[in-house]
């Protein structure tokens, strides 16, 4: 299959909208090197540490194709009963080799769906799980929303990203878990859901020069961690080793900035999103 394929037209009647099938590939890297469990990377972060992957999984939703005029057209994600459900997709780059012991051996490096037939020059989406799905009962949710290793039971919501790796200074592992925080308890009488979260933490990714014929989307851990010290944890009480999206954790500020998110430890506005790019 081509990296991005227009695989057919669905609906040929005069009153039916002509649609095309779409497949968009994703690739993970650490700087210029392909990501793979079992490898060791050097020169990562502000200390130039070594980095051995332990996990890399990312949810995304609200996928839109963009016309040359700037019009956004939703990509209707396929319901494949494994990686995509209800408009949300899970990208999985970890295959249970090396230090990658979570999740499954299977990987998923693309999203698929359908869109109105046309010419598109850009791609936009949001990282994470939408608020309407974020507080489901994980025991009964459809795949890929049924993975308990991607659910914060103590926050009753999903990990939008689970990025983990062992470094020279943190042999137990550095984590970057993105998710909604400061979430109120569910309304009275409900066992799931919340009354809302103060910090949604769903970065918008806009790739407005995406080549739909041959392009791919690249997640670069080297760029994500370029402003982070992955060898030391900030000496702040009750914060995690790495970042679990806490607004009180200064270790979250540089990675939030590279995701285009605001963190209260930042000075000024966040930088432009730098974690994800198009090629």
């Amino acid at each position: 299959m081509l990296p991005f394929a227009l695989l057919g037209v669905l609906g040929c009647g005069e009153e039916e909208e002509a649609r095309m099938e779409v497949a968009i590939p994703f690739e993970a890297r650490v700087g210029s090197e392909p990501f793979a469990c079992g490898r060791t990377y050097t020169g990562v972060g502000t200390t130039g540490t070594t980095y051995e992957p332990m996990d890399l999984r990312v949810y995304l939703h609200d996928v839109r194709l963009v016309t040359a005029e700037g019009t956004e057209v939703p990509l209707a994600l396929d319901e494949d009963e494994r990686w995509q459900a209800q408009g949300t997709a899970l990208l999985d780059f970890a295959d249970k080799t090396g230090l990658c012991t979570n999740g499954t051996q299977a990987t998923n490096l693309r999203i698929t769906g359908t869109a109105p037939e046309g010419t598109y020059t850009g791609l936009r989406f949001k990282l994470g799980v939408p608020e309407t799905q974020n507080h489901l009962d994980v025991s009964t949710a459809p795949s890929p929303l049924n993975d308990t290793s991607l659910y914060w039971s103590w926050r009753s919501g999903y990990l939008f990203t689970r990025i983990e790796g062992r470094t020279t200074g943190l042999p137990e592992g550095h984590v970057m878990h993105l998710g909604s925080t400061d979430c109120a308890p569910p309304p009275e009488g409900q066992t799931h859901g919340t009354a809302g979260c103060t910090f949604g933490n769903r970065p918008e990714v806009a790739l407005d020069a995406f080549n739909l014929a041959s392009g791919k989307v690249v997640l670069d851990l080297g760029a994500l961690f370029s402003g982070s010290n992955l060898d030391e944890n900030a000496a702040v009480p009750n914060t995690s080793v790495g970042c679990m999206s806490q607004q009180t954790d200064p270790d979250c500020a540089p990675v939030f900035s590279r995701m285009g998110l605001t963190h209260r430890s930042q000075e000024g506005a966040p930088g432009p999103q730098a974690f994800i790019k198009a090629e």
Side-chain angles (χ1 to χ4, degrees):
M1 180 176 290
L2 293 174
F4 180 96
L6 307 186
L7 301 178
V9 176
L10 308 179
C12 300
E14 292 182 359
E15 297 183 359
E16 295 182 10
E17 179 184 53
R19 298 184 68 83
M20 60 188 187
E21 296 183 6
V22 174
I24 301 176
F26 285 72
E27 180 179 313
R29 295 181 192 160
V30 184
S32 61
E33 300 182 63
F35 173 93
C37 294
R39 289 192 58 174
T40 299
Y41 301 90
T42 60
V44 181
T46 58
T47 61
T49 191
T50 61
Y51 188 87
E52 297 175 78
M54 299 170 68
D55 206 338
L56 178 50
R57 288 176 288 166
V58 177
Y59 282 112
L60 59 85
H61 70 286
D62 191 16
V63 184
R64 290 145 283 152
L65 304 181
V66 185
T67 68
E69 294 73 31
T71 301
E72 296 183 345
V73 179
L75 178 67
L77 295 182
D78 296 332
E79 299 277 334
D80 65 6
E81 300 182 352
R82 184 167 191 182
W83 302 110
Q84 301 182 168
Q86 301 174 8
T88 297
L90 174 64
L91 299 171
D92 187 343
F93 301 94
D95 59 6
K96 291 186 78 71
T97 59
L99 300 178
C100 296
T101 58
N102 293 312
T104 65
Q105 186 175 5
T107 60
N108 181 49
L109 311 182
R110 68 173 191 168
I111 59 173
T112 64
T114 64
E117 194 175 33
T119 300
Y120 301 103
T121 60
L123 173 68
R124 297 174 188 169
F125 56 86
K126 294 176 183 175
L127 289 190
V129 171
E131 178 62 24
T132 54
Q133 298 173 346
N134 193 34
H135 309 286
L136 298 174
D137 182 347
V138 71
S139 67
T140 59
S143 183
L145 296 168
N146 61 350
D147 190 335
T148 56
S149 69
L150 290 171
Y151 195 80
W152 266 330
S153 59
W154 53 288
R155 285 187 177 163
S156 297
Y158 288 90
L159 281 73
F160 301 163
T161 71
R162 183 163 183 164
I163 304 171
E164 301 175 0
R166 183 167 70 183
T167 73
T168 304
L170 297 174
E172 70 273 28
H174 175 279
V175 306
M176 200 289 129
H177 294 174
L178 183 68
S180 295
T181 60
D182 292 28
C183 301
E188 184 176 354
Q190 294 186 19
T191 57
H192 296 279
T194 72
C197 301
T198 302
F199 302 100
N201 294 335
R202 296 177 178 87
E204 167 82 3
V205 177
L207 307 175
D208 292 335
F210 190 68
N211 188 323
L212 297 184
S214 60
K216 58 186 172 184
V217 181
V218 176
L219 284 65
D220 183 358
L221 297 188
L224 178 65
F225 293 134
S226 62
S228 299
N229 181 346
L230 304 188
D231 284 327
E232 295 181 7
N233 192 52
V236 177
N238 301 316
T239 62
S240 61
V241 179
C243 170
M244 286 194 179
S245 300
Q246 295 154 300
Q247 288 289 319
T248 56
D249 188 350
D251 285 329
C252 289
V255 287
F256 268 42
S257 180
R258 280 154 182 77
M259 287 184 166
L261 290 172
T262 299
H263 190 271
R264 78 180 192 184
S265 296
Q266 294 168 340
E267 294 183 3
Q273 188 282 126
F275 173 36
I276 299 175
K277 62 183 178 180
E279 286 191 356

